[in-house]
Amino acid sequence: MQKQRDSFSSKFGIIAAAAGSAIGLGNIWKFPYIAGENGGSAFIIIYLIFIVLIGVPVMMSEFIIGRKAKQNVFGAFRQLTSHGFWKIIGIMGVLAAFLILSFYGTVASWTIEYLVLAFKDGFSGKSSDELTFMFESFSQSTFKPIVWQVLFMALTAYIVIGGIKKGIEKYTKILMPLLVVIIIYLDITAITLKGGMGGIRFLFYPDFSVLTHQSIIDALGHAFFTLSLGMGVLITYGSYFKKDTNITSTSISVAGADTIIALLAGLAIFPVVFAFGAEPGKGAGLVFMTLPKIFELIPGGYIFSILFFLLLSVAALTSSISILEVIVAYISEEKNISRKKATIITAILITLTGIVCTLSFGPLNHIQLRGFTIFDIFDKLASNILLPLGGMFISIFIGWKLKKQIITDELGNYGTLRFKFLKVFMFLVRYLAPIAILIVLVQGIWQIIMEMIIAG
Ligand code: TRP
């Protein structure tokens, strides 16, 4: 595969592309809504701790594996070890990619609908209740969300077929910083809202008594989800890295940018939630029900609402192509199918399962397990179980299996770079990350079993 061996043309291009995968609906749609459901700042603190102590080391591990092997996730483990066990990372990754892209397409379809609404000036003059109603009636309908979802998946497939790298590098470099600028503008408005202080308090004053087992699992799962970790996306991206790419500083920059955007998104949303007396735990529609309110209040709101939903759609796209790429690389390389054919088949299959996720808000809403819809189940299964498990195996692979020399070479760029934190890094990947992930997962599974016993 010639294409995979190209490399990014600049340092900023590398960071922008990895950040393009990381920054997506996870930051602006998912983070506020699960932070809201889990009571805000105490959850956020746990999530930040997971980002620093588990996310960054696992990200560095993926980059090390990718750049060393210069292959997709399956090829990488085949090259670096003779033991077939590690294939499990790739297999779980493909499954997770399938699940994630299914529900990602649902949320992307909402984003496109809101872009169209923004064009039509569809938010102005609407009360909070009306905005809530607008979202609910759209997301529960059958036809339109599916049209947008098909369109989104077709676009994703089109970019993946056409050699993603030029596109990724060129567009994310301009569009991601633009998104940040707009969010900051929204923040300034939100913070100065009358009654918005409640939102700031919700974000920054922790109350640990509201934390549950579920919050801890959600926080871990989201740390993986938001950084695109645990399923080999960043192994693939690492394979494009150049010899002089600094793996450590790249990881810190990507994780830093991703975290800042999530926090800025929260800062734009929660003051609005509180100022208008809404409910932070409103669930998956939170952003769509609250953000339109700000556009009405800011100068140039019409233009900014269009720009915002346009950029959110692009951010979703740069993430979704990285997810589709994992499956396409697997099928095309392992099953000997052409890249184009692999992309089309995969995209069609995922669109079909994705439609089921979309309909789980409307006609299929009655299908539930412990109160979770199909949409929730896809998300929790992938984000809270498969990704952390994948991350656990990746860190064990780096910590216990890969030759130490390879790690020092990759982190120190073959002697040209001084890497001072080897001991800390090795401690994190050997002990802290795998053990912490295991505890959280076991606790989560235990919780489910107990609930099942109690229920009966
Ligand atoms: N990180 C992206 C977001 O926050 C989603 C995503 C892209 C992802 N690639 C991934 C999640 C790989 C998990 C694994 O929206």
Side-chain angles (χ1 to χ4, degrees), residues 97-148:
F98 211 96
L99 295 170
I100 290 175
L101 197 47
S102 294
F103 74 81
Y104 216 77
T106 301
V107 184
S109 84
W110 303 343
T111 311
I112 298 176
E113 170 71 7
Y114 273 66
L115 173 60
V116 175
L117 281 173
F119 262 112
K120 290 193 203 151
D121 204 7
F123 308 130
S124 64
K126 294 257 187 322
S127 69
S128 281
D129 286 343
E130 284 170 317
L131 287 173
T132 301
F133 178 74
M134 211 165 89
F135 173 78
E136 283 174 351
S137 51
F138 169 72
S139 62
Q140 289 166 12
S141 63
T142 303
F143 184 66
K144 224 169 163 197
I146 295 179
V147 173
W148 294 139

Side-chain angles (χ1 to χ4, degrees), residues 248-307:
T248 313
S249 67
T250 303
S251 302
I252 293 171
S253 310
V254 172
D258 186 87
T259 306
I260 288 169
I261 294 201
L263 293 176
L264 288 175
L267 208 52
I269 287 161
F270 287 110
V272 182
V273 170
F274 280 78
F276 292 95
E279 168 48 51
K282 260 187 175 174
L286 182 71
V287 175
F288 297 93
M289 296 172 189
T290 47
L291 262 193
K293 204 76 201 152
I294 309 189
F295 297 118
E296 212 179 303
L297 306 170
I298 56 176
Y302 173 67
I303 298 293
F304 280 101
S305 68
I306 296 173
L307 266 176

Side-chain angles (χ1 to χ4, degrees), residues 96 100 221 224-225 229-231 381-383 385-392:
I100 290 175
F224 277 93
F225 183 90
L229 290 177
M231 70 183 210
L381 186 61
S383 315
I385 297 176
L386 293 172
L387 298 180
L389 263 185
M392 188 181 83

Side-chain angles (χ1 to χ4, degrees), residues 125-413:
K126 294 257 187 322
S127 69
S128 281
D129 286 343
E130 284 170 317
L131 287 173
T132 301
F133 178 74
M134 211 165 89
F135 173 78
E136 283 174 351
S137 51
F138 169 72
S139 62
Q140 289 166 12
S141 63
T142 303
F143 184 66
K144 224 169 163 197
I146 295 179
V147 173
W148 294 139
Q149 184 165 24
V150 170
L151 176 79
F152 178 78
M153 289 302 298
L155 261 172
T156 303
Y158 176 77
I159 300 176
V160 169
I161 292 173
I164 50 170
K165 221 137 15 61
K166 276 211 187 81
I168 294 180
E169 189 171 342
K170 201 163 82 196
Y171 294 115
T172 47
K173 255 193 326 211
I174 311 163
L175 295 177
M176 289 300 126
L178 194 57
L179 182 63
V180 178
V181 172
I182 293 186
I183 298 177
I184 291 176
Y185 183 44
L186 300 182
D187 283 335
I188 296 170
T189 315
I191 295 171
T192 50
L193 273 179
K194 211 165 140 259
M197 260 325 272
I200 315 263
R201 206 169 306 123
F202 186 76
L203 274 173
F204 296 113
Y205 290 87
D207 171 8
F208 285 95
S209 68
V210 299
L211 284 182
T212 61
H213 288 302
Q214 185 64 42
S215 325
I216 314 256
I217 301 169
D218 280 350
L220 181 70
H222 189 62
F224 277 93
F225 183 90
T226 193
L227 296 180
S228 299
L229 290 177
M231 70 183 210
V233 164
L234 298 184
I235 292 182
T236 316
Y237 277 30
S239 75
Y240 305 133
F241 281 10
K242 291 195 208 165
K243 270 211 323 259
D244 61 353
T245 304
N246 185 335
I247 287 181
T248 313
S249 67
T250 303
S251 302
I252 293 171
S253 310
V254 172
D258 186 87
T259 306
I260 288 169
I261 294 201
L263 293 176
L264 288 175
L267 208 52
I269 287 161
F270 287 110
V272 182
V273 170
F274 280 78
F276 292 95
E279 168 48 51
K282 260 187 175 174
L286 182 71
V287 175
F288 297 93
M289 296 172 189
T290 47
L291 262 193
K293 204 76 201 152
I294 309 189
F295 297 118
E296 212 179 303
L297 306 170
I298 56 176
Y302 173 67
I303 298 293
F304 280 101
S305 68
I306 296 173
L307 266 176
F308 175 80
F309 284 108
L310 183 68
L311 291 172
L312 188 56
S313 306
V314 172
L317 203 58
T318 55
S319 298
S320 66
I321 52 185
S322 77
I323 304 173
L324 185 58
E325 176 68 23
V326 171
I327 311 179
V328 168
Y330 166 66
I331 304 185
S332 63
E333 296 185 14
E334 305 293 314
K335 305 285 175 222
N336 247 327
I337 300 175
S338 81
R339 203 183 145 80
K340 189 169 169 186
K341 211 163 152 195
T343 310
I344 293 172
I345 295 171
T346 315
I348 290 176
L349 286 177
I350 294 181
T351 308
L352 293 176
T353 47
I355 286 173
V356 176
C357 284
T358 299
L359 294 181
S360 79
F361 282 85
L364 300 181
N365 193 256
H366 59 282
I367 306 177
Q368 293 190 1
L369 192 70
R370 298 172 64 237
F372 291 129
T373 62
I374 298 173
F375 177 95
D376 299 325
I377 293 167
F378 272 38
D379 179 12
K380 303 251 182 238
L381 186 61
S383 315
N384 292 4
I385 297 176
L386 293 172
L387 298 180
L389 263 185
M392 188 181 83
F393 286 129
I394 287 168
S395 67
I396 292 174
F397 183 78
I398 290 286
W400 298 91
K401 180 84 184 152
L402 197 66
K403 272 206 220 82
K404 189 96 173 271
Q405 186 62 45
I406 296 181
I407 299 170
T408 23
D409 284 348
E410 288 299 330
L411 291 179
N413 286 353

